[in-house]
């Protein structure tokens, strides 16, 4: 950008590095630029569909002052400021595959609007640079061409403004800034230095600059722009702004005007401090402000006496320093204190979550029985006296809080009918907990009197899975463990592999004094399996003589093979905070110099995926899978990620829409075939094979979709995931006869580990939003959201789907799948409920916005996905549950004598 560089180095300009606070996504950053306030993290969600901004802003003040504002660019501005622009043309910001037309739609208006003189403010928001980062990263050759294009546009605007100034003799201001930065992978949303550092350049002929005046960019806050623009345009500073005036902009003005501008800014900040801090008078910034006001008054007296002595100059300098110090201190205090939390709504939401979790925990013994009939008593408590008493108390509390609240409250803004329904829900859940707890105590008392059943004992594997899951939940209370959560899951998966290795040795080489691995409490959980599964629960292990030599060694080697695969995958994508900057295999593969190696690796990975998935598919689905995987490679070749053998290196690239839609056809076809088989199995209840094939074909369709959405260097992650699932199924879970609960927890662990193997983290920046636009030629909110979410949670979704198929194929009777869904939902709910309490208690923590809040969004979305999958698989298992309940004879298992 040669012209921009000239203006920064030698022109009449002031340049800064503006620091943006997380979340570094578009809507919160626009909000910070125009209001000067600090957005909340919920604005990440609102960024998808921005509501009208109700806070005071520079644009609102400009409209109130009669100024004509014109806007072209990102439609987020139009949504935030409806009816504020006299002329506008918005373009969608979410269609990241387009980095040309989105900018051309802005530039096409320039020649016309620059010739006109009927506007006071012109705002242009270009999206192309951001989209290129999302598609191919900051090292893409497209970046240089786009920056050159932006430089020529800046030169056109600046030369036009300069020619107008010669006619009107009135100075103009040109502001060049970014709303956020870009990480090393091209994304944004988190708090790394690259993402929070944005350029801010103010260009105007009123800025004096002597020859040889070298100005180094100062580091300022992004919120400072709102106060600076308001003062420069003669508008009131937005009342919620925490920013301070960029003093270099007014350094050329007389001292009297400088002091007046600084006084306006400090008065606005002191008023905001009074509204948000009860003991504001003791704040150091407020004390500095009062001292500056007194000194300012003395300076005004001397100035009115027309005193031009050195005393006036010295006092003026002292007042300036005092004001600047007060501004800095006030702004810093407000940045930490201005966050307002809706405690009442947060408390009610937390209570509901804890009630549901308590109900799940109390229902665990009932859900894990052979019948797996989970009956939550919600209807009978509604007619109890306790319910009405609780409802009346909660309603009274709601009325008191809403009538005495001084700040906005979400629950108080709801209609009374909706709020009353929420109180009914809370009351009913509380009564249901009391009823369930009472029933559990009675049943446990009866069981203690029954001496028929021996006391239960936890196995080593049970303890490992329970303690590992509990340890992960407890680790969420530390910011460092949240930032590096991938290390926790890598450690747990590696430990699991070592424990399985020990178990395989015991199974293949049993001693004379071998002790039972599972106790009677596991019999109830394992009764749904076929005879071999019951064999293990009956305290016997597979005979080492029964195992062939090759099979025995394969069983012994399988945990170490899984461990080696996990270690290789850790080298593919560095994630987290501490290691994200380190070079990894994925970075090496995605560089333009290694496109041939990436192409070969992608082709091999797709071949392995086909070989591992096709074994359970019908002939038609097998052909569709092969063509679909071939289409995946063609799609990546079309957009330039990989090379076809006959494709020249300098071939022009397309957006691959036809190739991607070709793959979508086969994805939908395979999913349709699987769904048809599932529905068929609901009619023919006795045919478990149809249901098993249907679940596997749904799983195959999801694998094909994952192959399309994952970036080429992540295809080995998908291939290794399928390989580990195959090895664990054939050589671990079946020979060792693990019960449903253990297998469910193992699937959950591996799903979480593969979430991070894929390169994800608890930072918003690692979300690959380009996956949401594969095969789309325009922005469609629902498909784009679904594809983005699926592309992010490929690991957990595929492992949960594999769990459903495995349990359905192994269970000839009983509701194993329903019980596994209950366990899966429980182990997903406990971290979320615990984390909600932790985040609420740590809401004033230094890293609440940069670390804890993004993790909460990830956990919430993961829980929604889990709920959807559990509901789907439980519904698929209902027919088999009814069939088993009425046709399966009781199975009696006796423990063999030693």
């Amino acid at each position: 950008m040669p012209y921009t560089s000239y203006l920064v180095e030698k022109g009449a300009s002031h340049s800064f590095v503006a620091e943006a606070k997380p979340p570094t996504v578009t809507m919160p950053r626009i909000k910070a630029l125009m209001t000067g306030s600090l957005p909340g993290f919920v604005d990440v969600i609102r960024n998808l569909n921005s509501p009208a901004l109700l806070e005071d802003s520079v644009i609102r003040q400009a409209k109130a002052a009669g100024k004509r504002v014109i806007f072209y660019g990102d439609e987020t501005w139009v949504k935030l400021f409806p009816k504020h622009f006299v002329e506008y043309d918005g373009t969608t910001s979410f269609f990241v595959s387009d980095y040309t037309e989105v900018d051309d739609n802005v530039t096409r208006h320039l020649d016309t609007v620059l010739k006109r003189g009927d506007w006071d403010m012109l705002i242009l928001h270009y999206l192309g640079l951001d989209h290129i980062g999302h598609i191919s990263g900051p090292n893409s050759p497209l970046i240089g061409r786009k920056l050159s294009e932006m430089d020529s546009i800046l030169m056109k605007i600046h030369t036009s403004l300069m020619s107008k100034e010669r006619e009107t003799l009135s100075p103009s201001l040109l502001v060049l800034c970014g709303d956020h930065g870009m990480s090393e992978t091209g994304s944004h949303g988190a708090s790394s230095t690259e993402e929070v550092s944005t350029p801010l350049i103010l260009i105007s002929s009123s800025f004096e600059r002597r020859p040889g005046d070298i100005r180094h960019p100062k580091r300022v806050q992004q919120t400072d722009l709102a106060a600076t623009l308001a003062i420069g345009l003669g508008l009131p500073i937005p009342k919620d702004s925490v920013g301070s005036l960029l003093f270099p902009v007014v350094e050329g003005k007389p001292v009297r005007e400088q002091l007046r501008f600084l006084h306006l800014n400090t008065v606005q900040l002191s008023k905001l401090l009074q509204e948000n801090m009860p003991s504001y008078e003791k704040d150091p910034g407020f004390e500095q402000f009062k001292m500056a006001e007194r000194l300012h008054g003395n300076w005004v007296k001397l100035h009115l006496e027309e005193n031009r002595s050195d005393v006036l100059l010295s006092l003026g300098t002292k007042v300036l320093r005092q004001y600047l110090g007060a501004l800095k201190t006030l702004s810093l205090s407000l940045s930490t204190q201005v966050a307002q939390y809706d405690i009442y709504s947060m408390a009610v939401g937390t209570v509901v979550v804890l009630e549901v979790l308590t109900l799940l925990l109390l229902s665990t013994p009932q859900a894990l029985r052979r019948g797996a009939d989970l009956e939550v008593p919600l209807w009978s408590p509604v007619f109890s006296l306790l319910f009405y008493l609780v409802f009346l108390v909660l309603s009274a509390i709601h009325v008191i809080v809403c009538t005495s609240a001084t700040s906005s409250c979400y629950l108080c803004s709801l209609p009374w009918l909706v709020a009353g329904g929420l109180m009914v829900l809370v009351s009913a859940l509380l009564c249901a907990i009391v009823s369930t707890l009472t029933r559990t105590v009675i049943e446990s008392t009866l069981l203690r009197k029954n001496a028929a059943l021996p006391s239960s004992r936890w196995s080593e594997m049970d303890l490992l899975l329970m303690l590992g899951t509990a340890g992960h939940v407890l680790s969420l209370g530390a910011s460092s463990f949240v930032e590096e959560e991938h290390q926790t899951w890598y450690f747990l998966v590696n430990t699991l592999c070592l424990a399985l290795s020990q178990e395989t040795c015991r199974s293949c080489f049993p001693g004379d004094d071998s002790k039972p691995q599972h106790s009677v409490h596991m019999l109830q959980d394992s009764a749904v399996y076929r005879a071999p599964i019951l064999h293990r629960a009956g305290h016997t292990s597979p005979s080492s003589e029964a195992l062939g030599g090759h099979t025995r060694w394969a069983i012994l080697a399988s945990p170490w093979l899984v461990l080696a695969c996990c270690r290789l995958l850790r080298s593919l994508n560095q994630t987290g905070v501490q290691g994200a900057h380190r070079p990894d295999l994925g970075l090496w593969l995605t560089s333009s110099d290694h496109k041939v190696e990436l192409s070969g690796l992608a082709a091999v990975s797709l071949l392995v995926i086909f070989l591992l998935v096709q074994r359970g598919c019908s002939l038609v689905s097998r052909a569709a899978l092969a063509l679909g995987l071939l289409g995946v490679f063609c799609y990546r070749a079309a957009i330039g990620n990989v090379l076809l053998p006959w494709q020249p290196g300098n071939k022009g690239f397309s957006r691959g829409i036809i190739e991607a839609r070709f793959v979508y056809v086969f994805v939908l076809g395979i999913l349709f075939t699987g769904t048809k088989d599932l529905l068929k199995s609901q009619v023919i209840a006795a045919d478990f094979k149809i249901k098993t094939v249907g679940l596997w074909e749904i799983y195959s369709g999801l694998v094909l979709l994952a192959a399309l959405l994952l970036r080429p260097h992540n295809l080995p992650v998908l291939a290794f995931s399928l390989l580990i699932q195959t090895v664990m199924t054939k050589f671990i879970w079946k020979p060792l006869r693990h019960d449903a609960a253990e297998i469910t927890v193992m699937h959950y662990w591996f799903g979480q580990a593969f979430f991070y193997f894929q390169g994800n983290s608890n930072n918003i920046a690692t979300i690959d939003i380009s996956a949401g636009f594969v095969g789309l030629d325009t922005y469609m909110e629902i498909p784009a959201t679904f594809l983005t979410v699926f592309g992010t949670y490929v690991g957990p979704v595929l492992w949960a789907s594999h769990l459903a198929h495995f349990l359905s194929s192994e269970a000839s009777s009983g509701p194993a799948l329903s019980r596994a869904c209950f366990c899966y939902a429980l182990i997903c709910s406990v971290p979320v409920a615990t984390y909600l309490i932790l985040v609420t208690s740590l809401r004033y923590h230094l890293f609440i916005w940069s670390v804890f809040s993004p993790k909460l969004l990830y956990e919430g979305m993961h829980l929604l996905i889990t709920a959807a999958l559990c509901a789907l698989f439980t519904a698929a298992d209902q027919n088999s549950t009814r069939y088993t309940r009425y046709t399966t004879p009781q199975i009696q298992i006796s423990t063999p004598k030693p």
Side-chain angles (χ1 to χ4, degrees):
M1 303 182 74
Y3 190 80
T4 307
S5 300
Y6 169 78
L7 291 177
V8 169
E9 294 169 3
K10 299 180 181 179
S13 65
H14 291 288
S15 56
F16 307 92
V17 177
E19 181 182 346
K21 299 295 184 184
T24 48
V25 293
T26 299
M27 194 277 274
R29 296 299 94 225
I30 296 175
K31 191 175 174 181
L33 286 168
M34 292 294 102
T35 67
S37 61
L38 297 174
F41 217 90
V42 71
D43 288 324
V44 172
I45 305 298
R46 293 176 179 170
N47 184 62
L48 300 174
N49 190 13
S50 306
L53 186 61
L54 302 178
E55 297 176 39
D56 193 12
S57 64
V58 175
I59 292 181
R60 173 178 285 190
Q61 293 291 353
K63 184 186 178 185
K67 295 188 181 295
R68 296 172 58 84
V69 186
I70 295 178
F71 171 77
Y72 304 116
D74 187 348
E75 65 180 5
T76 305
W77 289 77
V78 182
K79 295 178 180 178
L80 287 174
F81 306 105
K83 302 179 182 178
H84 285 70
F85 304 119
V86 295
E87 183 180 321
Y88 64 86
D89 184 10
T91 56
T92 179
S93 59
F94 291 106
F95 188 53
V96 297
S97 299
D98 176 22
Y99 52 84
T100 305
E101 293 182 12
V102 285
D103 288 348
D104 292 343
N105 285 337
V106 179
T107 306
R108 65 190 175 95
H109 297 283
L110 267 184
D111 291 332
T112 305
V113 77
L114 289 175
K115 292 177 183 178
R116 291 157 38 190
D118 59 346
W119 51 269
D120 300 293
M121 290 177 63
L122 174 63
I123 303 173
L124 309 173
H125 189 148
Y126 284 90
L127 292 162
L129 194 64
D130 177 70
H131 287 187
I132 292 174
H134 284 298
I135 296 171
S136 52
N139 299 318
S140 169
L142 298 171
I143 292 285
R145 294 199 288 270
K146 181 57 68 173
L147 288 175
S148 178
E149 178 188 341
M150 294 296 105
D151 190 56
S152 62
I153 290 171
L154 182 77
M155 181 172 65
K156 177 187 291 188
I157 297 172
H158 186 241
T159 52
S160 175
L161 293 177
M162 293 296 290
S163 62
K164 276 191 176 182
E165 285 184 17
R166 287 190 288 268
E167 298 174 4
T168 60
L169 302 178
S170 175
S172 58
L173 174 66
L174 175 59
V175 180
L176 175 65
C177 66
D179 53 348
H180 52 72
M182 184 184 294
S183 69
E184 293 181 355
T185 60
S187 190
H188 56 88
S191 55
S192 67
T193 304
E194 295 81 7
E195 292 167 87
V196 301
S197 301
T198 65
L200 176 59
I201 305 171
L202 285 78
I203 306 165
S204 176
S205 59
S206 62
F207 301 153
E208 298 178 359
R209 188 163 190 173
R210 301 182 185 90
D213 182 8
I214 300 176
R215 298 173 179 173
H216 298 287
K218 297 180 180 178
R219 197 165 189 88
V220 299
Q221 296 299 313
Q222 197 178 57
T223 51
D224 296 340
L225 181 62
T228 304
L229 287 178
I231 289 175
L233 294 169
L235 302 172
I237 300 174
K239 65 183 185 66
D240 294 323
S241 171
V242 299
S244 56
L245 172 67
L246 298 174
F247 186 68
V249 175
V250 297
E251 269 183 326
K253 298 292 182 182
V255 176
R256 182 178 180 181
E257 291 191 33
Q258 293 181 30
L259 292 178
R260 187 172 72 88
F261 293 150
L262 293 174
H263 180 254
L264 287 172
N265 199 180
T266 47
V267 166
Q268 176 262 326
L269 290 178
S270 64
K271 287 182 178 178
L272 188 61
L273 186 71
Q274 294 176 39
E275 295 174 1
N276 290 277
M277 186 184 295
S279 57
Y280 66 90
E281 294 179 349
K282 298 179 181 179
D283 186 80
F286 190 80
E287 293 175 354
Q288 285 180 287
F289 163 62
K290 286 301 181 184
M291 176 63 73
E293 265 196 332
R294 286 194 293 271
L295 292 174
H296 192 184
N298 295 335
W299 184 91
V300 170
K301 289 179 182 178
L302 286 175
H303 179 74
L304 292 176
E305 293 172 1
E306 298 184 356
N307 190 335
R308 299 289 185 267
S309 64
D310 293 338
V311 177
L312 183 65
L313 181 61
S314 175
L315 183 59
T317 305
K318 185 177 181 181
V319 177
L320 284 174
R321 284 202 302 267
Q322 192 72 22
Y323 269 131
L324 290 173
L327 278 176
K328 185 176 181 180
T329 309
L330 284 170
S331 180
L332 186 61
S333 299
L334 285 166
S335 297
T336 57
Q337 295 292 334
V338 79
Q340 296 182 355
Y341 294 99
D342 186 357
I343 300 297
Y344 176 57
S345 301
M346 292 168 65
V348 173
T350 304
V351 167
V352 173
V353 170
L354 290 178
E355 285 182 330
V356 174
L357 180 64
T358 305
L359 206 54
L360 281 173
L361 292 172
L362 290 175
S363 305
T364 302
Q366 181 187 359
L368 293 181
R369 288 174 185 165
R370 183 176 302 176
D373 294 328
L374 178 57
E375 296 178 2
V376 179
L378 274 179
W379 188 246
S380 56
V382 171
F383 297 100
S384 66
L385 178 62
L386 177 62
F387 169 77
Y388 292 107
L389 289 176
V390 173
F391 176 70
L392 288 174
V393 171
L394 291 177
S395 300
I397 293 174
H398 183 72
V399 172
I400 293 172
V401 171
C402 293
T403 53
S404 61
T406 56
S407 58
S408 61
C409 175
Y410 174 74
L411 287 183
C412 295
S413 64
L414 293 176
W416 283 99
L417 189 62
V418 178
L422 183 60
M423 301 305 157
V424 169
L425 176 63
V426 174
S427 305
L429 286 174
L430 181 61
C431 294
I433 289 172
V434 174
S435 176
T436 306
L437 183 60
T438 304
R439 186 176 60 188
T440 303
V441 171
I442 295 173
E443 290 181 354
S444 62
T445 305
L446 294 175
L447 284 175
R448 276 198 297 269
K449 294 179 180 179
N450 185 7
L453 289 175
S455 59
S456 61
R457 185 178 66 84
W458 290 85
S459 69
E460 293 177 1
M461 184 61 66
D462 293 332
L463 289 174
L464 171 65
L465 295 174
M466 184 188 70
L467 293 177
T469 304
H472 164 255
V473 172
L474 294 176
S475 72
L476 296 178
S479 60
S480 298
F481 276 91
V482 174
E483 289 177 334
E484 308 297 324
E485 188 184 357
H486 60 286
Q487 300 285 9
T488 303
W489 288 113
Y490 295 167
F491 172 78
L492 290 177
V493 167
N494 292 346
T495 307
L496 176 62
C497 290
L498 294 177
L500 289 173
S501 176
Q502 182 188 32
E503 196 171 355
T504 55
C505 289
R506 287 179 179 175
S507 178
C508 292
F509 305 105
D512 295 335
D513 57 344
S514 60
K515 295 183 179 180
Q517 292 296 310
H518 285 257
S519 53
V520 174
H521 84 281
M522 287 296 181
L523 293 178
Q524 297 176 352
D525 194 85
S526 302
V528 297
Y529 281 22
R530 290 196 203 99
I533 307 298
L534 295 174
H535 190 61
R536 179 179 187 264
H539 305 283
T540 60
S541 57
S543 172
S544 58
E545 291 80 5
L547 295 173
H550 296 293
T551 305
R552 181 192 304 177
W553 290 113
I555 291 174
L556 289 171
S558 55
W560 299 100
L561 176 61
V562 173
L563 191 63
C565 292
C566 292
R567 185 61 191 89
L568 285 173
L569 289 175
R570 287 178 61 180
S571 304
L572 186 62
N573 292 302
Q574 294 286 354
T575 185
V577 174
Q578 300 296 329
H581 63 282
R582 297 173 187 167
D584 52 39
L585 185 58
L587 186 64
W588 183 83
L589 287 170
T590 52
S591 65
S592 56
D593 298 332
H594 304 110
K595 191 174 286 189
V596 175
E597 291 85 350
L598 177 62
S599 303
L601 183 62
V604 172
S605 300
L606 291 173
L607 179 61
V608 170
I609 291 169
F610 173 74
L611 294 176
L612 293 174
V613 174
Q614 56 86 28
R615 55 191 172 87
C617 296
S618 63
L619 183 62
V620 175
S621 296
R622 199 173 298 172
L625 179 66
L627 292 173
L629 292 174
L630 181 62
V632 169
F633 194 86
C634 293
Y635 165 73
R636 290 298 170 183
I639 64 175
N641 293 143
V642 299
L643 295 173
L644 291 169
W646 56 86
Q647 178 180 338
N650 57 355
K651 173 187 175 292
F653 304 124
S654 68
R655 281 156 48 186
I657 292 177
I658 296 177
E659 292 85 352
R661 290 179 177 177
F662 175 79
V663 179
Y664 282 139
V665 170
F666 293 112
V667 170
L668 294 175
I670 296 174
L671 291 177
F672 174 78
T673 304
T675 305
K676 182 191 70 174
D677 289 341
L678 272 184
L679 295 175
K680 194 184 211 179
S681 69
Q682 297 293 320
V683 179
I684 310 174
D687 195 345
F688 284 93
K689 185 177 180 182
I690 296 178
K691 176 182 175 183
T692 303
V693 172
L695 285 172
W696 183 263
E697 290 190 333
I698 289 178
Y699 172 74
S700 304
L702 295 177
V703 169
L704 179 56
L705 181 61
L708 176 64
L709 299 183
L710 289 178
R711 302 217 177 196
H713 74 278
N714 270 332
L715 287 174
V717 177
L718 182 58
F720 274 119
S721 176
L722 299 174
L723 178 62
I724 291 174
Q725 289 172 359
T726 304
V727 170
M728 294 286 287
T729 300
K730 189 172 183 180
F731 300 111
I732 300 290
W733 293 322
K734 286 185 178 180
L736 298 185
R737 290 123 188 184
H738 288 102
D739 59 74
E742 289 178 348
I743 294 174
T744 300
V745 179
M746 290 184 199
H747 275 80
Y748 175 74
W749 280 22
F750 275 105
Q752 291 297 99
F754 273 88
F755 175 82
Y756 294 102
F757 285 145
Q758 187 184 331
N760 290 318
S761 71
N762 289 323
N763 283 338
I764 303 297
T766 53
I767 297 177
D768 182 14
I769 65 172
S770 64
F773 303 93
V774 173
L776 302 182
D777 55 2
T778 185
Y779 175 65
M780 292 182 285
E781 186 173 349
I782 295 177
T785 303
F786 170 77
L787 293 175
T788 303
V789 171
F790 180 79
T792 304
Y793 291 93
V794 161
V797 170
L798 289 185
W799 277 89
S801 304
H802 183 270
L803 172 67
H805 169 264
F806 175 78
L807 292 180
S808 297
S809 63
E810 291 298 311
S812 61
S813 63
L817 186 53
S818 297
R819 211 162 42 239
C821 287
F822 179 87
C823 294
Y824 201 88
L826 184 63
I827 59 177
C828 287
S829 302
V830 171
V832 176
T834 307
Y835 196 68
L836 274 175
I837 299 173
L838 288 171
V839 170
T840 304
S841 60
L842 297 173
R843 61 187 179 276
Y844 293 112
H845 193 280
L846 179 63
F847 300 129
I848 185 63
W849 299 120
S850 58
V851 178
F852 291 105
S853 295
K855 172 62 178 173
L856 185 61
L857 293 178
Y858 274 107
E859 287 293 338
M861 183 55 67
H862 186 206
L863 189 64
L864 287 175
I865 294 172
T866 301
L869 291 174
C870 289
L872 176 64
F873 296 142
T874 303
D877 197 49
Q878 286 305 303
N879 197 57
S880 62
T881 302
R882 292 194 300 269
Y883 176 79
T884 302
R885 186 180 303 161
Y886 295 113
T887 61
T888 303
Q890 296 295 321
I891 303 176
Q892 296 183 352
I893 306 167
S894 59
T895 305
K897 296 181 180 180

